[in-house]
Amino acid sequence: MNKEDLLKKYFRQSLSEEEEKEFTLLLESDHDFKALYEEYSNLNLAFKSHEAEELKAFLTSIDEQEGVKKIIWYKSSTFYYLVAAVLIIALCLPFLLKPSASSLYNEFYEVYPNVEQPVVRGSEETNTYNAFKAYEASNYSLATKAFEELLQTNSNPNYKFYFAMSLLNDGKFDQALNTLKDLEDLKFSYTDETLWYMSLILIKQEQPLKATSKLELLDKLGSSFKSKERKVLLQKLQDN
Amino acid sequence: MAETIREDDLQQRLRAEDKSALEFVYKTYKSEFINYSRRFELKNDDALDVYQDAIIAMYQNFTMQQLELTSSSIKTYLFGIGKHKIYKLCKSKNKQIEIENNIEDFEDIELNDDSLNYYQKELSKLIANISDSCKELLRLYYYRNLTVQEIVEQTQYKDANTVKSHKSRCMKRIKSLVSTK
């Protein structure tokens, strides 16, 4: 084996036993080989130390990048927005998982149509006619006033029901509920509707137990009004 | 990710001086080593310093000696080197080490003492002052321990004679730098 290969194997730590003997012998007896070995050894260690410094800088840069990534992440507005979003979601979770009172109300609420007084051209423009005309035109504040005036001279519960509907459609929930309360014990054309709308207003006012009792009362009365919707609504109220 | 890279592939990449493999090993075992060093009551800064030195020693053994681990894993080898370095550090600080025997531990691995003499230290500094091509050629020859033929195979040099003549010029250059010091 030539001297260069022997040196290479020595520094790779891959000399066989025999080669090791040859290496030691040469080192002791051959001055040129010893000089070659010393030159190799000096440069090997010098490069090793130089490379180690560069590697240390490389590893430190990895740590710094990791640190910077963390700092950038913590300092970024995205991070704070995300924290805020998570907190908001956590706080709102119970509400998000359960349908809100408003969403239940909106899901089931429909304007009750005018089935009492047909509004046709050529009809005599009485107070009753004008009240229902305003109601059909979705002018509920005008309808409210018209029904209020009408009720001063006429105690027809049907008109009172539409008065309550006008109030309800005009967003006056408390007044609508109070008006419907006056009607709930009466047997008249809109008894079932009265209980149904009372139930919806009570849901809107976050009184689910009272709302449920109105719906259960409708069941007891054997009402067929909105029977499918009532079943679904009752279930949702119980799930809440 | 650790499970997706095969141990022998990783060793092969380390032998080939693949820095991404080094980065992977460094990141993979860093936290575990820092935790391990807490048994010896090492401060975090010291633990990180020891870990970096152990990683470098391990990596240099792969790249300089074409190390092939057959009876141990990269992790066991790394932690063995690290453990020896921890012992050395504790000894230098006159710290008594008491380790519970019932916990999983690593056999400490002592590597050659690489402390440089004055001449070698000067040489190490001079490496930064030689041309990039000289630095790379001498690095491949004296640090990676590649033969002239292996250098031809792994670089753009057209043949062994070109490598030898370039190496000769580079050696003259570095010797002239030493003599002017």
Side-chain angles (χ1 to χ4, degrees):
Chain A
M1 184 177 284
N2 71 41
K3 291 174 185 175
E4 191 188 339
D5 287 348
L6 207 57
L7 269 177
K8 287 283 169 203
K9 286 193 102 177
Y10 171 80
F11 281 98
R12 285 185 181 184
Q13 298 192 358
S14 59
L15 288 173
S16 66
E17 259 184 60
E18 202 151 312
E19 288 163 345
E20 210 166 318
K21 281 179 192 165
E22 189 187 348
F23 180 86
T24 314
L25 192 69
L26 269 174
L27 205 59
E28 286 167 356
S29 58
D30 187 331
H31 288 290
D32 289 345
F33 183 75
K34 196 180 178 196
L36 212 57
Y37 162 79
E38 279 175 358
E39 182 181 83
Y40 199 114
S41 180
N42 287 336
L43 280 160
N44 179 275
L45 285 172
F47 266 104
K48 195 174 182 180
S49 162
H50 182 79
E51 286 292 316
E53 277 175 30
E54 292 197 346
L55 288 169
K56 189 103 177 170
F58 172 69
L59 298 177
T60 306
S61 77
I62 294 172
D63 288 338
E64 281 168 0
Q65 278 170 10
E66 292 283 302
V68 167
K69 273 185 206 163
K70 280 179 190 167
I71 289 166
I72 288 173
W73 176 237
Y74 286 131
K75 283 189 174 176
S76 71
S77 51
T78 316
F79 174 76
Y80 289 106
Y81 284 134
L82 266 175
V83 169
V86 167
L87 282 173
I88 289 166
I89 289 168
L91 289 170
C92 295
L93 214 54
F95 303 102
L96 291 172
L97 292 175
K98 291 178 182 178
S100 68
S102 278
S103 73
L104 265 187
Y105 174 85
N106 293 334
E107 189 182 337
F108 288 91
Y109 175 76
E110 276 180 353
V111 172
Y112 193 74
N114 170 24
V115 292
E116 177 69 22
Q117 175 85 42
V119 177
V120 288
R121 236 177 241 176
S123 301
E124 197 185 340
E125 291 205 2
T126 59
N127 285 349
T128 316
Y129 175 83
N130 286 336
F132 281 101
K133 190 180 168 191
Y135 188 86
E136 266 198 20
S138 306
N139 189 345
Y140 299 116
S141 60
L142 185 64
T144 302
K145 277 182 192 169
F147 279 115
E148 199 170 16
E149 280 177 22
L150 183 62
L151 286 168
Q152 282 172 4
T153 53
N154 192 328
S155 59
N156 186 335
N158 294 358
Y159 297 163
K160 197 165 189 176
F161 173 75
Y162 276 97
F163 171 56
M165 289 299 102
S166 301
L167 288 165
L168 181 58
N169 295 332
D170 207 19
K172 290 165 179 158
F173 298 99
D174 291 343
Q175 286 172 266
L177 184 63
N178 286 334
T179 309
L180 290 172
K181 273 180 187 171
D182 293 341
L183 297 168
E184 71 171 316
D185 296 327
L186 285 179
K187 278 230 167 207
F188 73 116
S189 306
Y190 305 109
T191 306
D192 296 354
E193 287 83 345
T194 298
L195 290 170
W196 168 253
Y197 281 102
M198 282 182 84
S199 168
L200 288 182
I201 297 169
L202 289 164
I203 288 169
K204 178 89 175 169
Q205 293 179 336
E206 297 188 356
Q207 299 186 67
L209 289 176
K210 284 185 181 177
T212 305
S213 76
K214 301 296 172 202
L215 294 171
E216 285 171 348
L217 184 58
L218 278 169
D219 285 349
K220 274 185 195 170
L221 293 170
S223 166
S224 59
F225 177 73
K226 298 256 184 197
S227 57
K228 280 183 190 170
E229 288 89 340
R230 271 164 33 211
K231 206 173 173 184
V232 178
L233 183 56
L234 257 177
Q235 189 61 49
K236 290 196 177 190
L237 285 169
Q238 280 160 6
D239 290 345
N240 273 3
Chain B
M1 196 174 173
E3 289 74 26
T4 61
I5 295 182
R6 278 176 47 191
E7 175 83 13
D8 50 353
D9 286 343
L10 199 54
Q11 286 195 33
Q12 180 58 42
R13 286 168 60 193
L14 291 171
R15 281 193 288 274
E17 215 177 19
D18 181 340
K19 285 272 185 73
S20 64
L22 171 68
E23 185 173 346
F24 174 79
V25 175
Y26 180 70
K27 285 180 177 173
T28 302
Y29 300 115
K30 187 178 159 190
S31 311
E32 198 177 337
F33 187 88
I34 304 285
N35 280 335
Y36 173 73
S37 63
R38 292 210 175 104
R39 293 181 192 178
F40 306 90
E41 294 171 1
L42 243 61
K43 288 177 189 167
N44 266 9
D45 284 354
D46 284 339
L48 183 63
D49 214 33
V50 167
Y51 180 61
Q52 288 188 344
D53 289 346
I55 279 273
I56 291 167
M58 176 207 72
Y59 183 62
Q60 288 192 318
N61 281 354
F62 273 108
T63 58
M64 295 175 80
Q65 297 163 16
Q66 296 298 295
L67 177 72
E68 284 185 43
L69 296 172
T70 49
S71 57
S72 73
S73 64
I74 291 172
K75 181 188 167 183
T76 332
Y77 184 64
L78 173 65
F79 276 60
I81 297 172
K83 187 181 172 186
H84 184 77
K85 286 185 183 294
I86 292 173
Y87 278 152
K88 224 172 144 181
L89 181 72
C90 292
K91 207 175 166 187
S92 73
K93 293 185 174 181
N94 293 323
K95 205 164 152 183
Q96 292 289 324
I97 304 168
E98 283 176 29
I99 312 164
E100 294 170 44
N101 290 322
N102 59 347
I103 47 176
E104 185 222 356
D105 211 345
F106 301 90
E107 194 180 328
D108 69 311
I109 299 170
E110 184 175 6
L111 300 177
N112 292 340
D113 180 15
D114 290 328
S115 46
L116 306 186
N117 61 32
Y118 176 78
Y119 178 71
Q120 290 159 349
K121 276 181 192 165
E122 289 302 307
L123 264 181
S124 181
K125 288 178 200 163
L126 288 173
I127 287 168
N129 298 331
I130 57 175
S131 70
D132 286 346
S133 66
C134 271
K135 187 177 161 187
E136 185 54 16
L137 178 59
L138 296 178
R139 200 181 77 86
L140 291 175
Y141 190 87
Y142 290 106
Y143 172 73
R144 294 290 311 283
N145 297 313
L146 299 183
T147 63
V148 170
Q149 193 50 44
E150 283 169 334
I151 293 172
V152 173
E153 285 161 12
Q154 292 184 26
T155 62
Q156 302 294 317
Y157 289 102
K158 63 177 181 178
D159 53 35
N161 283 336
T162 321
V163 172
K164 281 178 188 169
S165 62
H166 193 191
K167 177 178 163 277
S168 171
R169 283 199 300 277
C170 293
M171 285 304 290
K172 273 184 191 162
R173 172 71 184 141
I174 206 160
K175 279 173 185 168
S176 73
L177 286 171
V178 172
S179 61
T180 55
K181 285 287 287 181

